[in-house]
């Protein structure tokens, strides 16, 4: 697998994690949950998966349904990639995702198609015999039936058996191996993290990025939108370090700097959104019509391509300083109307 970590690293995740790490300072209640911005979506997805699971148990035995991958998985797509969750038997929330996939900061059409292919529903498999090891997909069975029918018809029309029989055998074989080849091709356009230590580290950054993206969506500040784009770049570079360099997260200085700075950036983004909301509440009169937000313009600078150098930590530090100055200005501006208020005039 492309995201296996180096075997010479620690034997347990987090053994090198400092006590002062940003992850240690985060509250335990702030954990990543599936479809956090869409209440009820997880229950609907679990309900949708119950019917395919029942159909899978019709073709295969109940004890082999889980081995065949028919009990279901839920892929949560978003603008930066996707999260894959294991759907339990009941509607309880999973504690952590099974897989984290990342799109590049400036995704191409091929990257979007790769995500769509990798997050599609797994094909239904039919167990041959009492062991799931001999299972085949329904598409392979359909291809075998079509090739057999077409081969019999072709031989009846006079085509030689030496040509028809190999084609009858190769068509189902090609259909059976084609999904694996397409999976390998699609993985060249995205970055996927599945190993437990790397996935747990990246999960913390995903939670921080969700907070920054939510603050940017609720605000009209271009600085917050730029911070969200920087966060996407941090996720992409972090996944590249974890898959390419083969180091444990807690033992890499750049990864530690990313986590520390992005934690500060997320905190400044939340403070900025709160300060802006306080300023709008202080300036806008109660009951006055709100101005329609103008479309946000994209940053003039294009994201760095994936094949160039990594994002320097100084860029995150500059974004943190900018957001800190803006939040201070908003707080001062929100306090200014209070000092300008005068008591109502009363005639002598």
């Amino acid at each position: 697998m492309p995201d296996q970590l180096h075997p010479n690293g620690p034997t347990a995740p987090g053994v090198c994690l400092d006590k002062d790490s940003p992850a240690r300072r985060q509250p335990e209640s702030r954990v990543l949950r599936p479809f956090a911005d869409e209440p009820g979506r997880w229950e609907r997805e679990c309900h949708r998966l119950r019917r395919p699971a029942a159909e899978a148990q019709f073709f295969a035995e109940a004890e082999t349904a889980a081995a065949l991958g028919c009990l279901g998985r839920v892929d949560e797509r978003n603008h930066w990639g996707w999260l894959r969750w294991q759907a339990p038997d009941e509607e309880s929330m999973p504690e952590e995702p099974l897989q984290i996939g990342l799109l590049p900061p400036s995704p191409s059409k091929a990257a979007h198609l790769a995500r769509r292919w990798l997050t599609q529903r797994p094909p239904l498999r039919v167990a041959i015999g009492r062991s799931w090891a001999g299972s085949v997909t329904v598409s392979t069975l359909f291809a075998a039936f079509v090739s057999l029918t077409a081969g019999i018809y072709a031989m009846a029309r006079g085509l030689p058996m030496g040509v028809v029989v190999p084609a009858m055998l190769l068509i189902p074989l090609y259909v059976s191996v084609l999904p694996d080849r397409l999976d390998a091709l699609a993985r060249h356009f995205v970055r996927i993290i599945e190993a437990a230590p790397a996935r747990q580290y990246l999960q913390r950054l995903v939670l921080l990025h969700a907070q920054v993206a939510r603050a940017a969506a609720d605000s009209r500040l271009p600085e917050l939108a730029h911070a969200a784009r920087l966060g996407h770049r941090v996720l992409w570079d972090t996944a590249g370090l974890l898959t390419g360099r083969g180091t444990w997260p807690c033992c890499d200085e750049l990864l530690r700097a990313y986590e520390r700075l992005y934690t500060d950036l997320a905190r400044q983004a939340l403070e900025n959104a709160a300060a802006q909301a306080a300023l709008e509440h202080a300036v806008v009169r109660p009951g006055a019509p709100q101005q329609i937000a103008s479309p946000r313009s994209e940053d003039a600078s294009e994201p760095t391509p994936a094949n160039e150098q990594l994002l320097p930590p100084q860029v995150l530090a500059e974004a943190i300083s900018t957001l800190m100055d803006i939040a201070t200005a908003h707080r001062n501006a929100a306090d200014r109307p209070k000092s300008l208020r005068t008591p109502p005039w009363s005639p002598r």
Side-chain angles (χ1 to χ4, degrees), residues 58-81:
F58 175 77
F59 289 100
E61 295 184 0
E63 57 269 15
T64 61
L68 294 177
C70 302
L71 291 185
R73 70 190 188 197
V74 178
D75 291 328
E76 179 184 358
R77 299 182 186 178
N78 41 58
H79 66 280
W80 52 262

Side-chain angles (χ1 to χ4, degrees), residues 273-327:
Q276 185 184 13
L279 175 60
E280 293 179 353
H281 179 74
V283 173
V284 180
R285 298 191 308 272
Q290 298 284 345
Q291 294 183 354
I292 299 178
S294 59
R296 288 179 293 178
S297 60
E298 295 291 333
D299 197 305
S301 61
E302 293 293 333
T304 306
N307 56 357
E308 294 189 4
Q309 60 183 357
L310 298 173
L311 180 70
Q314 292 79 7
V315 177
L316 292 176
E318 293 174 0
I320 293 171
S321 178
T322 302
L323 292 179
M324 188 180 303
D325 295 340
I326 295 176

